[in-house]
Structure formats: structure tokens, C-alpha cells
Amino acid sequence: MAHVTSIQYEPVAEIGGGAYGTVYKARDTESGKFVALKSVRVPTDQNGLPVSTVREVALLRRLEQFDHPNVVRLMDVCATQRSNQETKVTLVFEHVDQDLKTYLERTPAPGLSPDCIKDLMRQLLCGLAFLHSNRVMHRDLKPENILVTSQGQVKLADFGLARIYSCHMALTPVVVTLWYRPPEVLLQSTYATPVDIWSTGCIFAEMFRRKPLFCGESEVDQLGKIFEVIGLPPEEEWPTDVTLSRKNFSPLMPRPITDFVAEINEQGAELLLKMLTFDPLKRISALNALEHSYFQDEETLTQTKS
Amino acid sequence: MARTGFCDSKPLLDLHKKVDERRAPLRMWANACGPLDRWQPVEVDESRVAPVKKEPERRWERRLSIQTSEGIIMGFHEDSQTCLAADGCVEGPVLLYPHGLQGLHSLQALVPSLLRREVEIALEKLNLIWDRTYAWDMFLDMMRTQTWHSFPNADLPRHFTDATRAVLVDWLIQVHEIMHFQDETLYLAIHLLNRSLRQIKVTTANLQLLGMVCLFLAAKKEECLLPEVSGLCYLMDHTYTRHQLLRMERKVLCGLKFDLSYTPPLHFLLLLASIARCSAKVVWMARYLLELSLLEGQCVVFQPVQLAGAALCLSRQVLQEPPTPEGEAAWCLASSIHVGSETALLRIMQILASAAAKAHGRETCATFIKFSSPETMHVSRHLGLKNASALLGV
């Protein structure tokens, strides 16, 4: 199948040496469209492709059948043997030229309009709600893997890959940005879908600020930066299954979020704080976030207008 | 002409899209035995599954399921109505006949909510769901996705015949039994085989290998314990090497584009039987008939829910258990799920009846033997199966 893939997809450019391996932009010679090729090398033993890989890719395929507008299309999957110990799984995604990072960089001062931010956020949360209701978490949500088409359509990319890649990651000393990581991940506690909501909160703030909210240089530094904004959580909220003690951090009171995100309106600030909640169980879910007055506000406004 | 008991009605609407991968597999009798020595535990990272916070509300799905649930519930069939009225079972279970509601009109109005409740209870009882909140959504999803799992025609590539396919399926049924896999694994394996036969070029010499790989992949998707590849090679008398098996695995995965999702007809069978309060014997008979459908190449054109409905109808007709008011009422409620057209169901019933009548004398008799055991209430040896076709007026 290797040659079939390389015949059907003609590499055009390397578009990123992501944490998980190189990503290529390629042209689908059948349709003429551009695709993004992401390859994962999975270790294979005498029993073939690992069960986790088979199940995860099958799950991505199944998600694909639902054709969600805010999730990037997975067009093809292929497995090729590289050696006796390794199989290369190539995932063929639709290619979108622009991610949220470049989108924000290209936006001239004074930045995105409040309506535009609201629209992007709604689409982002719709995509997340879809993934979460299918028990898929992204785990590595950041502006680089939120794609924005030229029509302003948001498409989540790279979800679910964290699990497919995980065995590979264990072998590679990868540098992954900490800026969008929630406290529970930084503290190496258990985590679930709320991780993505924390990241979404960071991105929400960044849309206003046009620069990241928390730019830590290490796990502890990142946590420190977080507590400077949301305050040091009470002892009872500190997870019990972690090695890092709460005593390592100086007691800080929460500061008004508008000190850091100046242009945000009142409902937006309230939603942002619900996303940047320390306790993952108290953090708002994607679906409840969509029901928040921050979004309903605009609906009623447009209704009265029309 | 015989009736299926399931009613003709409006077609299934395009139900809203929703995924279910969360269901826990059914515990099957085949799974009751302990693991064998050559098995190894599957190491799957459960981190995503374990502490996932349940969303209290899923607005967009819920809204859509309300819109679309109409399509799967049909108006009562004439027969069903008369059976409700004629049997005078007004004092049946509370669930079916709340006090003060008499007359067909009000009963009909009640069906959707009764059915919904019954579906929820049944799915929970069958261990197909973790949380009843999502049961109806999941059922709608099952009904919608299963429509993708039939084939436009029963044609096989020229060098394969239905007889060859039946021999292969029969062998896979035996391997499946040796492995003590769950029944879902068997249905998935045969579905993958049906798809692979149409999408991948395989020589006759590699047909057995393809079948084994489909079973292996189905096990990777469904089972907690996996056999070693060397064990599988042993079961094929070392006709193929481990290397060949793994190469075929990649070939099948690529050919099917890693799409391993399937709604097995068995789930519909158990669901319908549970709503219809069928006796254990009816269920075993229906399971036998349903498994026979795997051997029939022509059955691939039918949807899983149609196969399940037909197997259950035929089972009831063969066993001819004395009707009870509660049983008939429950059957009427189960019949309000739109299973398929009368023509399609009768066609399947004819195929299954004729297969069951011949099963004992065939070369491919693994299913016959499996269902002749005391655990399965000896259903495959039931005398009624000998002239089952006559029951259908053929």
C-alpha cells in the first residue's frame, strides 16, 4: 500500500515538524485537492498492529461518518510496514491553509471584533462538544491545531492523535508547549475532557489579547503564572494524587480577569472564569458553555435585529 | 400468506448522527468460559474512558432526536390493533395500559413514550448502556447507522461462490467457538469478511487467511483477551506464516480504511426480544436462525434490524408457544419499531426456514451443532424446523 499512498498523494511541502512527527502537505492526484499527511510510527510486535491503534483509528473513522462542520476531515488511512518492529500509519486529512495562530497574527490592530471572537468560540465549542460527547478528548488544544478556513469556519485538528501517538511519544523527548495545559495535567493528576475546556479558556483570552495568557517555562513556572491570575486554590481542591505540594506556591488571591483580558465584556469574563476553574470537576463543560449567556446574548440580539 | 407480525410502514427517516462507542459488550454464553493459556491480555490505555465527565445535557443531539424519533415508530398495524382490542387485555401491565386510557386512539398516542421507556429499560438490561439518559439517543443511532451495514447486492467476485463463502464462514464459526469469543466478535468478523471480499483482491488460496484476519481484527476491536498470532497460524495448520497473516492484516485495514464500526443484528434481536418479553426458548431459537443467516450469502443485502426481526418472527412461528395477553401486547409494542417491509421480512424468513430445514444434513453444520447443546435448549434439533417453510405458506 505504500506505493499506492505515494502515488495518490504527491508531497508538496513539509508543513511542520510537530511533536508527533513530520507533517506533509500533499496533493491528492485523484481530486487535485491538497491534503495533510500525518504519519505515526507504531511499534508492532509479533501480534501485529497494537489494539490501541486499531481502536483509536477506527474511532476516528467512525467520527468521520458524522461529518461535523467543526472537525477536520479524515479522508484516508493507510498502514505500511517499515520494519519487523514498526508500522507506519498514515492519516490523510483535508488541508486548511491557516491556523488560529496565523489568523491572529494576520489580524491588524486593534484585533478581532467581539462578534468575531464570539463566532470563533461558538464553533470551537461546538467541535469540542461533538468530540466530548463521543468520548474523545483532544488533550493538546492550542491555536496551532485550530484551523480557520478562508470563510472563517473553525475546524479542530489533531484530536485523538495524542493517544495514537502516545507510544511513540514515550520514546521521543518532545518539546510540547505548556501554555495551554490545565493544572491537573501540569500536576500529573488524573484528567479527562475538562482539559480541553481549560485550553479553550486560554485561547479565548488570547483572542482578545493577541498573545498567550500564561507563558510558563516549566511546569512549576506555568502553575505559578496560572495562580497569579486565578489565585492559589484552597487546600481541599488540591488533588491528593500528586507529588507537588500546594506549599510550594505562595498564597495568592485571585485578580480580576479584566486586568489581563481588558476588552472582554461581562458575560465573556464570567464564561472565561468558568473555563479557567482549577477543579476540573467544577469546570464548565463544552455543552454548558454553549448555553452560557455570553452566546445567547448574540442570538437574541440578531433575532431582534431581524 | 403468513404475516411477519412486523408492520409495514413509512420508511426510516434519516436519524441524527451520533456515535456510540461507549457500550460495554454483552456478556455472552460463549464468553462465560475462562481464558485459555495462549491468550494474552490486551493493554489498552483506559485513561480516556475512565474519568470522563458525563455531560448533563447534550442539547443539539437531544433536540434532533426529538425531531427524528417519529420515523422509527410506526402507526399500529391493523393486526396489532385488533390483537390489542380483541384480547381484551386492558388489565395488562400498567406500563402498557395506564388507567383511564382506553380506545385505540389514545393507545396509539401512547406508543412512542411506552416504546421509548421499554427501549431504555431493555438496553440497560442488556448492558448496552451505562447511563439511561443516553439510551434513546443510542437506540436512534443504532437504527440509523445499521442502515449502512447492508450491501446493494449479494454478488461476490467471480472466482468465489456462495458455497465457498459458506465453508469459510462455517470454519470461522468453529474457530470463534474454540476461542470463546463473544458473539459480537463473530458478527463483526463476518461483516468485515463480506466487505473485504468486495473491496480487496484475494486469491482463492488466501481466502482462509482473509477470514482469519477478519476474525482477528474483530477480536482486536471487541475482545479483552487476544489470541497469539502463532496460535492462529496453528489453527490454520501453518498453511500461512505469521508474516503473511500480519501483511494481510495491514491489507484489510487499508482496504477497509480502518472502518470497523458495525451494529450487529444480535443487538437488535436481544432488544426486540426483551421488549416483546420473549421466552428463553424463543430467544435461543431466534439466535440460532440469526446465526444461520451468516452462512447465507444472499442475506448480506438485508439490514441487521431486518435480519433480527425476521429471525424473531420465524422463531415464534416455529415454536408456536401458547399466547398470553401480556405476551401479545408486548409483541405488539415491539412490532411498533419499524423493522422493515413485510416483503423483506418474509423473504428473510423463507431463506432462514429453508436453511434451518437443511442444516443438520449440510457440510457446514457448526451452527447446527452449537445450538443443539443443552445450554441452548437444543433449539437446532426442534422438529418444527423441518417444515418451517410450510409455516410460511411456501
Side-chain angles (χ1 to χ4, degrees), chain B residues 196-247:
Chain B
S196 303
L197 283 173
R198 287 159 176 83
Q199 285 176 23
I200 299 170
K201 279 190 188 144
V202 205
T203 60
T204 319
N206 280 334
L207 202 55
Q208 188 185 22
L209 181 64
L210 175 69
M212 186 59 113
V213 162
C214 288
L215 185 63
F216 189 43
L217 282 174
K220 280 191 174 179
K221 172 99 192 305
E222 298 287 342
E223 299 288 333
C224 303
L225 293 161
L226 276 184
E228 299 265 2
V229 168
S230 52
L232 301 182
C233 291
Y234 167 78
L235 286 172
M236 293 187 288
D237 225 2
H238 297 290
T239 313
Y240 313 95
T241 62
R242 194 176 61 81
H243 185 72
Q244 282 175 302
L245 194 144
L246 297 182
R247 197 168 56 202

Short mmCIF file of all heavy atoms in Angstrom, two decimals, chain B residues 196-247:
data_model
loop_
_atom_site.label_atom_id
_atom_site.label_comp_id
_atom_site.label_asym_id
_atom_site.label_seq_id
_atom_site.Cartn_x
_atom_site.Cartn_y
_atom_site.Cartn_z
N SER B 196 -14.54 -7.10 2.97
CA SER B 196 -13.21 -7.36 2.39
C SER B 196 -13.32 -8.10 1.06
O SER B 196 -12.60 -7.80 0.12
CB SER B 196 -12.37 -8.20 3.34
OG SER B 196 -12.27 -7.56 4.57
N LEU B 197 -14.24 -9.08 1.01
CA LEU B 197 -14.38 -9.87 -0.22
C LEU B 197 -14.72 -8.97 -1.40
O LEU B 197 -14.39 -9.27 -2.54
CB LEU B 197 -15.49 -10.92 -0.05
CG LEU B 197 -15.12 -12.16 0.76
CD1 LEU B 197 -16.35 -13.02 0.98
CD2 LEU B 197 -14.04 -12.97 0.05
N ARG B 198 -15.39 -7.88 -1.12
CA ARG B 198 -15.80 -6.97 -2.19
C ARG B 198 -14.78 -5.87 -2.45
O ARG B 198 -14.83 -5.24 -3.49
CB ARG B 198 -17.16 -6.36 -1.84
CG ARG B 198 -18.30 -7.36 -1.97
CD ARG B 198 -19.53 -6.96 -1.18
NE ARG B 198 -20.63 -7.90 -1.41
CZ ARG B 198 -20.77 -9.05 -0.76
NH1 ARG B 198 -19.90 -9.40 0.16
NH2 ARG B 198 -21.78 -9.85 -1.02
N GLN B 199 -13.91 -5.61 -1.49
CA GLN B 199 -13.01 -4.46 -1.66
C GLN B 199 -11.55 -4.82 -1.85
O GLN B 199 -10.75 -3.97 -2.22
CB GLN B 199 -13.15 -3.52 -0.45
CG GLN B 199 -14.44 -2.72 -0.50
CD GLN B 199 -14.63 -1.86 0.73
OE1 GLN B 199 -13.67 -1.52 1.40
NE2 GLN B 199 -15.86 -1.52 1.03
N ILE B 200 -11.20 -6.04 -1.52
CA ILE B 200 -9.79 -6.40 -1.60
C ILE B 200 -9.63 -7.56 -2.57
O ILE B 200 -10.46 -8.48 -2.59
CB ILE B 200 -9.28 -6.84 -0.20
CG1 ILE B 200 -9.43 -5.70 0.78
CG2 ILE B 200 -7.83 -7.28 -0.26
CD1 ILE B 200 -9.20 -6.12 2.20
N LYS B 201 -8.60 -7.49 -3.36
CA LYS B 201 -8.34 -8.61 -4.26
C LYS B 201 -7.62 -9.71 -3.50
O LYS B 201 -6.53 -9.51 -2.98
CB LYS B 201 -7.46 -8.14 -5.43
CG LYS B 201 -8.26 -7.43 -6.50
CD LYS B 201 -7.42 -7.19 -7.74
CE LYS B 201 -8.17 -6.30 -8.71
NZ LYS B 201 -7.28 -5.39 -9.42
N VAL B 202 -8.27 -10.86 -3.41
CA VAL B 202 -7.66 -12.00 -2.72
C VAL B 202 -7.77 -13.22 -3.62
O VAL B 202 -8.79 -13.43 -4.27
CB VAL B 202 -8.40 -12.34 -1.40
CG1 VAL B 202 -7.46 -13.04 -0.44
CG2 VAL B 202 -9.00 -11.11 -0.78
N THR B 203 -6.72 -14.02 -3.62
CA THR B 203 -6.79 -15.27 -4.38
C THR B 203 -7.52 -16.31 -3.54
O THR B 203 -7.61 -16.18 -2.31
CB THR B 203 -5.37 -15.79 -4.69
OG1 THR B 203 -4.71 -16.02 -3.44
CG2 THR B 203 -4.59 -14.79 -5.51
N THR B 204 -8.01 -17.34 -4.21
CA THR B 204 -8.71 -18.41 -3.50
C THR B 204 -7.80 -19.02 -2.44
O THR B 204 -8.25 -19.38 -1.35
CB THR B 204 -9.16 -19.50 -4.50
OG1 THR B 204 -9.65 -18.84 -5.67
CG2 THR B 204 -10.26 -20.36 -3.92
N ALA B 205 -6.51 -19.11 -2.77
CA ALA B 205 -5.56 -19.71 -1.83
C ALA B 205 -5.46 -18.91 -0.53
O ALA B 205 -5.12 -19.46 0.52
CB ALA B 205 -4.20 -19.82 -2.49
N ASN B 206 -5.76 -17.62 -0.59
CA ASN B 206 -5.62 -16.77 0.60
C ASN B 206 -6.95 -16.50 1.30
O ASN B 206 -7.00 -15.70 2.23
CB ASN B 206 -4.97 -15.45 0.23
CG ASN B 206 -3.47 -15.58 0.11
OD1 ASN B 206 -2.87 -16.46 0.74
ND2 ASN B 206 -2.86 -14.76 -0.72
N LEU B 207 -7.99 -17.17 0.86
CA LEU B 207 -9.32 -16.91 1.40
C LEU B 207 -9.40 -17.23 2.90
O LEU B 207 -9.94 -16.46 3.68
CB LEU B 207 -10.34 -17.75 0.63
CG LEU B 207 -11.79 -17.26 0.68
CD1 LEU B 207 -11.88 -15.82 0.24
CD2 LEU B 207 -12.66 -18.15 -0.20
N GLN B 208 -8.81 -18.35 3.26
CA GLN B 208 -8.84 -18.74 4.67
C GLN B 208 -8.08 -17.71 5.53
O GLN B 208 -8.51 -17.33 6.61
CB GLN B 208 -8.22 -20.13 4.85
CG GLN B 208 -8.39 -20.66 6.25
CD GLN B 208 -7.67 -21.99 6.47
OE1 GLN B 208 -6.73 -22.33 5.74
NE2 GLN B 208 -8.11 -22.74 7.46
N LEU B 209 -6.96 -17.27 4.97
CA LEU B 209 -6.16 -16.26 5.68
C LEU B 209 -6.98 -14.98 5.88
O LEU B 209 -6.99 -14.39 6.96
CB LEU B 209 -4.89 -15.98 4.88
CG LEU B 209 -3.92 -14.97 5.49
CD1 LEU B 209 -3.37 -15.47 6.81
CD2 LEU B 209 -2.78 -14.67 4.52
N LEU B 210 -7.68 -14.58 4.83
CA LEU B 210 -8.51 -13.38 4.92
C LEU B 210 -9.57 -13.55 6.02
O LEU B 210 -9.77 -12.65 6.84
CB LEU B 210 -9.20 -13.10 3.58
CG LEU B 210 -10.19 -11.94 3.57
CD1 LEU B 210 -9.47 -10.61 3.72
CD2 LEU B 210 -11.01 -11.92 2.30
N GLY B 211 -10.21 -14.70 6.03
CA GLY B 211 -11.23 -14.97 7.05
C GLY B 211 -10.65 -14.88 8.45
O GLY B 211 -11.22 -14.22 9.33
N MET B 212 -9.49 -15.48 8.65
CA MET B 212 -8.86 -15.47 9.96
C MET B 212 -8.49 -14.05 10.37
O MET B 212 -8.66 -13.66 11.54
CB MET B 212 -7.62 -16.37 9.95
CG MET B 212 -6.98 -16.54 11.31
SD MET B 212 -8.11 -17.25 12.54
CE MET B 212 -7.34 -18.83 12.83
N VAL B 213 -7.97 -13.27 9.43
CA VAL B 213 -7.59 -11.89 9.74
C VAL B 213 -8.83 -11.08 10.12
O VAL B 213 -8.79 -10.26 11.05
CB VAL B 213 -6.83 -11.27 8.55
CG1 VAL B 213 -6.81 -9.75 8.65
CG2 VAL B 213 -5.42 -11.82 8.50
N CYS B 214 -9.95 -11.31 9.45
CA CYS B 214 -11.19 -10.60 9.80
C CYS B 214 -11.61 -10.94 11.23
O CYS B 214 -12.03 -10.07 11.98
CB CYS B 214 -12.31 -10.95 8.81
SG CYS B 214 -12.06 -10.20 7.20
N LEU B 215 -11.47 -12.21 11.59
CA LEU B 215 -11.81 -12.62 12.96
C LEU B 215 -10.83 -11.99 13.96
O LEU B 215 -11.21 -11.52 15.02
CB LEU B 215 -11.79 -14.15 13.07
CG LEU B 215 -12.24 -14.73 14.41
CD1 LEU B 215 -13.69 -14.38 14.71
CD2 LEU B 215 -12.06 -16.24 14.44
N PHE B 216 -9.57 -11.95 13.59
CA PHE B 216 -8.53 -11.37 14.45
C PHE B 216 -8.78 -9.88 14.67
O PHE B 216 -8.71 -9.38 15.80
CB PHE B 216 -7.16 -11.61 13.79
CG PHE B 216 -5.97 -11.25 14.65
CD1 PHE B 216 -5.92 -11.59 15.99
CD2 PHE B 216 -4.88 -10.60 14.09
CE1 PHE B 216 -4.81 -11.26 16.77
CE2 PHE B 216 -3.77 -10.27 14.86
CZ PHE B 216 -3.74 -10.60 16.20
N LEU B 217 -9.12 -9.18 13.59
CA LEU B 217 -9.39 -7.74 13.71
C LEU B 217 -10.66 -7.50 14.52
O LEU B 217 -10.72 -6.56 15.33
CB LEU B 217 -9.52 -7.11 12.33
CG LEU B 217 -8.20 -6.83 11.61
CD1 LEU B 217 -8.47 -6.35 10.19
CD2 LEU B 217 -7.39 -5.79 12.37
N ALA B 218 -11.66 -8.32 14.30
CA ALA B 218 -12.90 -8.18 15.09
C ALA B 218 -12.58 -8.38 16.57
O ALA B 218 -13.09 -7.66 17.42
CB ALA B 218 -13.93 -9.20 14.62
N ALA B 219 -11.69 -9.33 16.86
CA ALA B 219 -11.31 -9.58 18.25
C ALA B 219 -10.54 -8.38 18.80
O ALA B 219 -10.73 -7.98 19.95
CB ALA B 219 -10.47 -10.85 18.34
N LYS B 220 -9.67 -7.79 17.96
CA LYS B 220 -8.94 -6.60 18.42
C LYS B 220 -9.89 -5.47 18.76
O LYS B 220 -9.62 -4.66 19.63
CB LYS B 220 -7.94 -6.14 17.34
CG LYS B 220 -6.65 -6.95 17.33
CD LYS B 220 -5.59 -6.32 16.45
CE LYS B 220 -4.28 -7.10 16.59
NZ LYS B 220 -3.19 -6.56 15.74
N LYS B 221 -10.99 -5.42 18.06
CA LYS B 221 -11.97 -4.36 18.32
C LYS B 221 -12.83 -4.70 19.54
O LYS B 221 -13.15 -3.82 20.33
CB LYS B 221 -12.86 -4.19 17.08
CG LYS B 221 -14.03 -3.27 17.24
CD LYS B 221 -13.75 -1.90 16.68
CE LYS B 221 -14.81 -0.89 17.08
NZ LYS B 221 -16.15 -1.29 16.72
N GLU B 222 -13.21 -5.96 19.72
CA GLU B 222 -14.24 -6.29 20.71
C GLU B 222 -13.74 -6.99 21.97
O GLU B 222 -14.39 -6.88 23.01
CB GLU B 222 -15.31 -7.20 20.07
CG GLU B 222 -16.08 -6.58 18.92
CD GLU B 222 -17.09 -5.53 19.38
OE1 GLU B 222 -17.44 -5.53 20.56
OE2 GLU B 222 -17.49 -4.71 18.54
N GLU B 223 -12.67 -7.73 21.86
CA GLU B 223 -12.32 -8.64 22.96
C GLU B 223 -11.33 -8.02 23.95
O GLU B 223 -10.54 -7.15 23.60
CB GLU B 223 -11.71 -9.93 22.41
CG GLU B 223 -12.63 -10.72 21.51
CD GLU B 223 -13.77 -11.39 22.26
OE1 GLU B 223 -13.61 -11.68 23.45
OE2 GLU B 223 -14.82 -11.61 21.63
N CYS B 224 -11.36 -8.52 25.17
CA CYS B 224 -10.39 -8.09 26.17
C CYS B 224 -9.13 -8.93 26.11
O CYS B 224 -8.05 -8.49 26.47
CB CYS B 224 -10.98 -8.22 27.57
SG CYS B 224 -12.48 -7.29 27.78
N LEU B 225 -9.29 -10.17 25.69
CA LEU B 225 -8.13 -11.06 25.60
C LEU B 225 -7.94 -11.47 24.15
O LEU B 225 -8.90 -11.85 23.49
CB LEU B 225 -8.37 -12.29 26.46
CG LEU B 225 -8.42 -12.03 27.96
CD1 LEU B 225 -9.10 -13.18 28.69
CD2 LEU B 225 -7.01 -11.83 28.50
N LEU B 226 -6.72 -11.41 23.72
CA LEU B 226 -6.45 -11.74 22.31
C LEU B 226 -5.62 -13.01 22.20
O LEU B 226 -4.74 -13.25 23.03
CB LEU B 226 -5.65 -10.60 21.67
CG LEU B 226 -6.42 -9.41 21.14
CD1 LEU B 226 -5.46 -8.47 20.46
CD2 LEU B 226 -7.49 -9.86 20.15
N PRO B 227 -5.88 -13.77 21.17
CA PRO B 227 -5.03 -14.95 20.94
C PRO B 227 -3.71 -14.50 20.32
O PRO B 227 -3.64 -13.43 19.72
CB PRO B 227 -5.84 -15.77 19.94
CG PRO B 227 -6.67 -14.77 19.22
CD PRO B 227 -6.93 -13.64 20.16
N GLU B 228 -2.68 -15.29 20.47
CA GLU B 228 -1.41 -15.02 19.81
C GLU B 228 -1.53 -15.36 18.34
O GLU B 228 -2.24 -16.30 17.97
CB GLU B 228 -0.30 -15.91 20.41
CG GLU B 228 -0.06 -15.71 21.87
CD GLU B 228 1.07 -14.74 22.14
OE1 GLU B 228 1.63 -14.20 21.17
OE2 GLU B 228 1.38 -14.52 23.32
N VAL B 229 -0.81 -14.61 17.52
CA VAL B 229 -0.85 -14.88 16.09
C VAL B 229 -0.36 -16.31 15.80
O VAL B 229 -0.89 -17.01 14.94
CB VAL B 229 -0.03 -13.84 15.31
CG1 VAL B 229 0.19 -14.28 13.87
CG2 VAL B 229 -0.74 -12.51 15.33
N SER B 230 0.64 -16.74 16.58
CA SER B 230 1.16 -18.09 16.36
C SER B 230 0.05 -19.14 16.58
O SER B 230 -0.01 -20.15 15.87
CB SER B 230 2.35 -18.37 17.27
OG SER B 230 2.00 -18.07 18.60
N GLY B 231 -0.84 -18.87 17.53
CA GLY B 231 -1.96 -19.77 17.78
C GLY B 231 -2.91 -19.82 16.59
O GLY B 231 -3.44 -20.87 16.24
N LEU B 232 -3.11 -18.66 15.98
CA LEU B 232 -3.98 -18.60 14.81
C LEU B 232 -3.37 -19.37 13.65
O LEU B 232 -4.07 -20.07 12.91
CB LEU B 232 -4.24 -17.14 14.40
CG LEU B 232 -4.87 -16.23 15.45
CD1 LEU B 232 -5.09 -14.84 14.89
CD2 LEU B 232 -6.18 -16.80 15.96
N CYS B 233 -2.04 -19.24 13.49
CA CYS B 233 -1.35 -19.96 12.43
C CYS B 233 -1.46 -21.48 12.66
O CYS B 233 -1.66 -22.24 11.72
CB CYS B 233 0.12 -19.56 12.35
SG CYS B 233 0.32 -17.88 11.76
N TYR B 234 -1.39 -21.84 13.92
CA TYR B 234 -1.53 -23.26 14.27
C TYR B 234 -2.92 -23.76 13.84
O TYR B 234 -3.05 -24.85 13.28
CB TYR B 234 -1.33 -23.43 15.77
CG TYR B 234 -1.75 -24.78 16.31
CD1 TYR B 234 -0.94 -25.90 16.12
CD2 TYR B 234 -2.96 -24.93 16.98
CE1 TYR B 234 -1.35 -27.14 16.59
CE2 TYR B 234 -3.36 -26.16 17.46
CZ TYR B 234 -2.55 -27.27 17.26
OH TYR B 234 -2.95 -28.48 17.73
N LEU B 235 -3.95 -22.93 14.11
CA LEU B 235 -5.31 -23.33 13.74
C LEU B 235 -5.49 -23.45 12.22
O LEU B 235 -6.40 -24.10 11.75
CB LEU B 235 -6.33 -22.33 14.30
CG LEU B 235 -6.59 -22.42 15.81
CD1 LEU B 235 -7.47 -21.27 16.27
CD2 LEU B 235 -7.25 -23.75 16.16
N MET B 236 -4.61 -22.80 11.49
CA MET B 236 -4.68 -22.92 10.02
C MET B 236 -3.64 -23.93 9.55
O MET B 236 -3.26 -23.92 8.38
CB MET B 236 -4.44 -21.54 9.37
CG MET B 236 -5.55 -20.55 9.66
SD MET B 236 -5.38 -19.01 8.74
CE MET B 236 -4.01 -18.26 9.58
N ASP B 237 -3.21 -24.77 10.46
CA ASP B 237 -2.29 -25.85 10.10
C ASP B 237 -0.98 -25.33 9.50
O ASP B 237 -0.35 -25.98 8.68
CB ASP B 237 -2.97 -26.78 9.09
CG ASP B 237 -2.74 -28.23 9.45
OD1 ASP B 237 -2.09 -28.48 10.49
OD2 ASP B 237 -3.20 -29.10 8.70
N HIS B 238 -0.60 -24.12 9.91
CA HIS B 238 0.63 -23.48 9.43
C HIS B 238 0.68 -23.36 7.90
O HIS B 238 1.75 -23.38 7.31
CB HIS B 238 1.87 -24.19 9.97
CG HIS B 238 1.97 -24.10 11.47
ND1 HIS B 238 2.25 -22.94 12.13
CD2 HIS B 238 1.78 -25.04 12.43
CE1 HIS B 238 2.24 -23.15 13.44
NE2 HIS B 238 1.95 -24.42 13.65
N THR B 239 -0.50 -23.26 7.31
CA THR B 239 -0.56 -23.04 5.86
C THR B 239 0.04 -21.68 5.51
O THR B 239 0.61 -21.47 4.45
CB THR B 239 -2.03 -23.08 5.37
OG1 THR B 239 -2.65 -24.22 5.97
CG2 THR B 239 -2.13 -23.16 3.86
N TYR B 240 -0.14 -20.74 6.42
CA TYR B 240 0.39 -19.39 6.22
C TYR B 240 1.35 -19.06 7.35
O TYR B 240 1.18 -19.53 8.47
CB TYR B 240 -0.74 -18.37 6.21
CG TYR B 240 -1.92 -18.76 5.35
CD1 TYR B 240 -3.03 -19.39 5.92
CD2 TYR B 240 -1.92 -18.50 3.98
CE1 TYR B 240 -4.11 -19.76 5.13
CE2 TYR B 240 -3.00 -18.87 3.19
CZ TYR B 240 -4.09 -19.50 3.78
OH TYR B 240 -5.15 -19.86 3.00
N THR B 241 2.31 -18.20 7.05
CA THR B 241 3.24 -17.78 8.10
C THR B 241 2.66 -16.59 8.86
O THR B 241 1.73 -15.93 8.39
CB THR B 241 4.59 -17.36 7.49
OG1 THR B 241 4.34 -16.23 6.64
CG2 THR B 241 5.22 -18.48 6.69
N ARG B 242 3.25 -16.33 10.01
CA ARG B 242 2.88 -15.17 10.82
C ARG B 242 3.03 -13.89 10.00
O ARG B 242 2.20 -12.98 10.05
CB ARG B 242 3.80 -15.12 12.04
CG ARG B 242 3.36 -14.21 13.15
CD ARG B 242 4.30 -14.35 14.32
NE ARG B 242 5.67 -13.98 13.95
CZ ARG B 242 6.11 -12.72 13.88
NH1 ARG B 242 5.30 -11.74 14.16
NH2 ARG B 242 7.34 -12.47 13.54
N HIS B 243 4.11 -13.87 9.23
CA HIS B 243 4.41 -12.73 8.39
C HIS B 243 3.27 -12.47 7.39
O HIS B 243 2.84 -11.34 7.19
CB HIS B 243 5.73 -13.00 7.66
CG HIS B 243 6.20 -11.84 6.84
ND1 HIS B 243 6.71 -10.71 7.41
CD2 HIS B 243 6.23 -11.66 5.50
CE1 HIS B 243 7.04 -9.86 6.44
NE2 HIS B 243 6.74 -10.41 5.28
N GLN B 244 2.78 -13.56 6.79
CA GLN B 244 1.68 -13.43 5.82
C GLN B 244 0.42 -12.92 6.50
O GLN B 244 -0.31 -12.10 5.94
CB GLN B 244 1.39 -14.79 5.16
CG GLN B 244 2.38 -15.18 4.09
CD GLN B 244 2.09 -16.58 3.57
OE1 GLN B 244 2.08 -17.55 4.34
NE2 GLN B 244 1.85 -16.69 2.28
N LEU B 245 0.19 -13.42 7.71
CA LEU B 245 -1.01 -13.02 8.43
C LEU B 245 -0.98 -11.51 8.74
O LEU B 245 -1.95 -10.80 8.55
CB LEU B 245 -1.15 -13.83 9.72
CG LEU B 245 -2.53 -13.75 10.39
CD1 LEU B 245 -2.91 -15.07 11.02
CD2 LEU B 245 -2.59 -12.67 11.45
N LEU B 246 0.20 -11.04 9.18
CA LEU B 246 0.30 -9.62 9.53
C LEU B 246 0.23 -8.74 8.29
O LEU B 246 -0.28 -7.63 8.34
CB LEU B 246 1.58 -9.36 10.32
CG LEU B 246 1.64 -10.08 11.68
CD1 LEU B 246 2.90 -9.73 12.43
CD2 LEU B 246 0.41 -9.74 12.53
N ARG B 247 0.74 -9.27 7.18
CA ARG B 247 0.65 -8.50 5.94
C ARG B 247 -0.81 -8.39 5.52
O ARG B 247 -1.27 -7.33 5.09
CB ARG B 247 1.48 -9.15 4.83
CG ARG B 247 1.74 -8.21 3.67
CD ARG B 247 2.79 -8.75 2.73
NE ARG B 247 2.40 -10.09 2.25
CZ ARG B 247 3.26 -10.98 1.77
NH1 ARG B 247 4.56 -10.72 1.73
NH2 ARG B 247 2.84 -12.15 1.35
#
